[in-house]
Amino acid sequence: MNEEKEPKIIGFLCNWCSYAGADLAGTSRIQQPPNVRVIRVMCSSRIKPELVLKAFKNGADGVLVAGCHPGDCHYMDGNYYTRRRFVILKKFLEYVGIDPRRFRVEWVSASEGMKFKEVVEGMTNELKDLGKFELQ
Amino acid sequence: MSDIEKNLRAEAKKLLEEKKVDYVIGYEESNGKVSPCFIDNAKDVEKLVFNPGCVHNLSVYLLEADAENKVGIVAKGCDSRAIIELIKQNQVIRDNVFILGISCDGVKDLLGKDYDKCKNCKYPVPLIYDVLLGEKKEGKEEDYSDVEEIESMSLEERKKFWNKQFEKCIKCHACRNICPLCYCEECALDDKNWVSKSHKFPEIWMSHLIRALHTAGRCVSCGECERACPVNIPLRKLYRKIGKDVKELFDYEAGVNAEDVPPLVAFDLDKDKEKIKQN
Ligand code: SF4
Ligand code: SF4
Ligand code: SF4
Ligand code: FES
């Protein structure tokens, strides 16, 4: 893969659903772009906005936050906070001029290996169109 | 001397004489310049003034009061919202403050120009007070045209606009230090795991975004950050975007009711599902 042209995506995945979903995609040998660097967190609500900003600051072209579907969070209501927190972040990034397609929040369950692949594929393609992320 | 000023002095005098408060935080004037003052003796109340130079949001000084202090404080409409927020966030005990609320006609800068916050002031009458000085009056309609103006620019334009602003920043932290709602003992902006001390890109971008996001659901639009900024970064406009979204999405406004649950530690299953389109 051509390192220069390939978008780098930092993916924060919750342990109980989305990480398991990504794992399933792997063990089921579903072909998907290798662009996501995964960081496993216990719950999507663990992710502070700072983490997302830091990924961008350090050169990510896109950031993906993925957690259990609303209603399915392992800790009951963690992702209800995630949902609120990141809709604010996303709109704010847009306000300071960052293409909203660079930041995604997705709900992926442990059984949705296919969905994980589609998310990664979709995001990778969008980021290819957008080109490298330049902060300045 | 205006009636407000006269009544203010009388109220402050009473509070100090009856030992209801240890001191009163208000405004004084010297050489035509208004500044905050702290009065702990009834015979000094004649120093107190109230006029269009009284722009400062005095509630930031409540953070410096000791837990056993009883404090009297002069508060305009916007200031009162910060006090409400501080009570909500357990930074101030309601019974420890005596709020001398003032129904406000707006404040002006040294050149006599209205501050932006006054041009679209929704709450000129304090939303919390122990006595109210001046007549109640109507506030203005909700107006986010300042934010909308930026929203209507293209992505590229917005990026240019804000980056140019961030570039000016000298990282003096005046905006944080003057903000009544930046009370964290350990500030993320001092944590080198998040940002270095650099005032250059990309660090400065990071600092601004962190602080902005930390104002979510608590910024009361008092404009003090913007006033304190030595390089005139329109910070209020930056943070009001978040205030606007919080209002639209969660039907929440900071500093209105001390009983409200802050919006990012709350959720509303039905409404959130309907209103929050994630991507
Ligand atoms: S962020 Fe600025 S406008 Fe908002 S409460 Fe703090 S000082 Fe006031
Ligand atoms: S910038 Fe954030 S961490 Fe720092 S004092 Fe303000 S709210 Fe607290
Ligand atoms: S007051 Fe202005 S210059 Fe100082 S840190 Fe804040 S934004 Fe930067
Ligand atoms: S555990 Fe998956 S979102 Fe909370």
Side-chain angles (χ1 to χ4, degrees):
Chain A
M1 130 177 159
N2 181 340
E3 277 287 335
E4 279 306 294
K5 289 224 180 87
E6 287 295 327
K8 271 191 243 125
I9 303 171
I10 298 296
F12 294 99
L13 314 185
C14 93
N15 180 59
W16 302 101
C17 287
S18 305
Y19 188 86
D23 205 30
L24 180 66
T27 50
S28 326
R29 300 189 175 270
I30 298 173
Q31 284 295 319
Q32 56 176 322
N35 300 58
V36 183
R37 274 69 163 171
V38 173
I39 296 173
R40 168 154 62 159
V41 293
M42 288 313 282
C43 175
S44 64
S45 64
R46 160 70 179 83
I47 306 157
K48 289 161 149 297
E50 283 92 325
L51 287 166
V52 176
L53 300 176
K54 192 169 175 178
F56 280 121
K57 185 186 81 171
N58 289 348
D61 298 304
V63 177
L64 168 67
V65 164
C68 315
H69 284 266
D72 292 344
C73 171
H74 187 74
Y75 307 98
M76 316 303 286
D77 50 19
N79 52 7
Y80 298 143
Y81 301 108
T82 312
R83 178 160 69 182
R84 282 195 164 200
R85 189 182 307 153
F86 287 124
V87 68
I88 294 297
L89 175 63
K90 189 167 173 113
K91 284 173 174 287
F92 190 67
L93 288 174
E94 214 176 330
Y95 191 63
V96 295
I98 296 179
D99 196 298
R101 285 168 292 180
R102 295 197 183 271
F103 175 62
R104 273 218 205 184
V105 177
E106 293 283 352
W107 314 123
V108 178
S109 81
S111 62
E112 292 177 320
M114 255 334 249
K115 174 159 184 198
F116 186 76
K117 164 208 148 99
E118 281 156 16
V119 166
V120 172
E121 223 169 46
M123 199 169 172
T124 305
N125 288 337
E126 272 180 358
L127 291 176
K128 274 187 185 155
D129 290 346
L130 288 173
K132 279 248 142 285
F133 174 58
E134 308 277 358
L135 203 62
Q136 253 179 309
Chain B
M1 188 170 49
S2 70
D3 276 352
I4 288 187
E5 215 167 74
K6 202 164 70 202
N7 296 337
L8 175 62
R9 291 176 187 178
E11 291 289 342
K13 187 161 183 225
K14 209 164 71 191
L15 285 175
L16 288 162
E17 274 172 356
E18 292 171 5
K19 299 213 178 322
K20 285 218 177 99
V21 299
D22 299 312
Y23 57 93
V24 172
I25 314 175
Y27 304 94
E28 65 181 353
E29 188 167 6
S30 69
N31 301 325
K33 208 171 172 287
V34 174
S35 45
C37 72
F38 302 79
I39 292 185
D40 60 5
N41 193 322
K43 64 182 197 303
D44 293 334
V45 297
E46 297 306 311
K47 275 193 199 162
L48 288 172
V49 298
F50 191 81
N51 59 44
C54 298
V55 55
H56 323 67
N57 183 346
L58 302 173
S59 64
V60 66
Y61 299 113
L62 291 177
L63 297 169
E64 284 161 35
D66 294 326
E68 63 275 9
N69 282 154
K70 300 260 189 236
V71 182
I73 183 167
V74 178
K76 307 180 291 296
C78 49
D79 310 334
S80 79
R81 292 183 62 197
I83 300 175
I84 291 179
E85 208 49 36
L86 288 170
I87 295 169
K88 187 192 295 173
Q89 315 262 357
N90 295 325
Q91 302 302 311
V92 164
I93 299 166
R94 175 65 185 100
D95 291 343
N96 282 359
V97 285
F98 189 97
I99 304 167
L100 299 148
I102 295 189
S103 177
C104 180
D105 285 319
V107 285
K108 291 182 194 306
D109 67 15
L110 291 172
L111 302 171
K113 253 183 60 205
D114 289 328
Y115 280 99
D116 282 351
K117 67 169 173 182
C118 305
K119 288 185 201 149
N120 50 21
C121 174
K122 200 170 153 192
Y123 303 108
V125 180
L127 294 170
I128 189 174
Y129 55 79
D130 295 291
V131 290
L132 180 67
L133 306 164
E135 294 296 313
K136 285 200 174 172
K137 53 177 72 77
E138 285 289 308
K140 304 208 172 85
E141 289 283 303
E142 182 122 84
D143 177 4
Y144 276 111
S145 50
D146 52 340
V147 175
E148 281 152 8
E149 190 190 320
I150 297 192
E151 285 174 336
S152 70
M153 307 196 299
S154 74
L155 261 185
E156 235 358 84
E157 283 169 344
R158 285 200 292 266
K159 185 161 153 184
K160 260 212 201 108
F161 175 82
W162 286 116
N163 282 357
K164 226 167 114 186
Q165 300 296 339
F166 300 158
E167 249 164 39
K168 299 193 290 191
C169 179
I170 55 170
K171 223 172 181 189
C172 62
H173 285 320
C175 49
R176 172 192 70 184
N177 296 349
I178 204 169
C179 175
L181 297 161
C182 263
Y183 49 69
C184 308
E185 301 221 333
E186 284 178 26
C187 172
L189 301 180
D190 297 326
D191 181 347
K192 62 180 181 339
N193 288 313
W194 298 124
V195 270
S196 79
K197 299 238 180 280
S198 164
H199 66 287
K200 300 246 153 61
F201 267 81
E203 298 292 329
I204 199 60
W205 175 89
M206 182 85 178
S207 301
H208 276 276
L209 268 74
I210 290 180
R211 192 168 119 79
L213 288 157
H214 283 195
T215 70
R218 24 184 203 159
C219 172
V220 294
S221 268
C222 70
E224 285 292 80
C225 45
E226 186 170 305
R227 185 175 69 86
C229 179
V231 295
N232 299 323
I233 299 177
L235 296 166
R236 188 166 167 272
K237 217 183 267 191
L238 186 65
Y239 308 147
R240 268 164 65 79
K241 162 66 178 164
I242 298 180
K244 176 173 178 271
D245 287 340
V246 163
K247 180 82 209 285
E248 280 168 11
L249 290 163
F250 315 139
D251 196 19
Y252 181 97
E253 227 178 331
V256 169
N257 182 349
E259 308 295 315
D260 289 344
V261 183
L264 294 184
V265 293
F267 52 82
D268 180 320
L269 285 185
D270 299 328
K271 281 198 198 136
D272 287 357
K273 189 172 170 198
E274 178 198 314
K275 281 199 164 169
I276 304 177
K277 301 280 168 275
Q278 212 66 251
N279 292 303

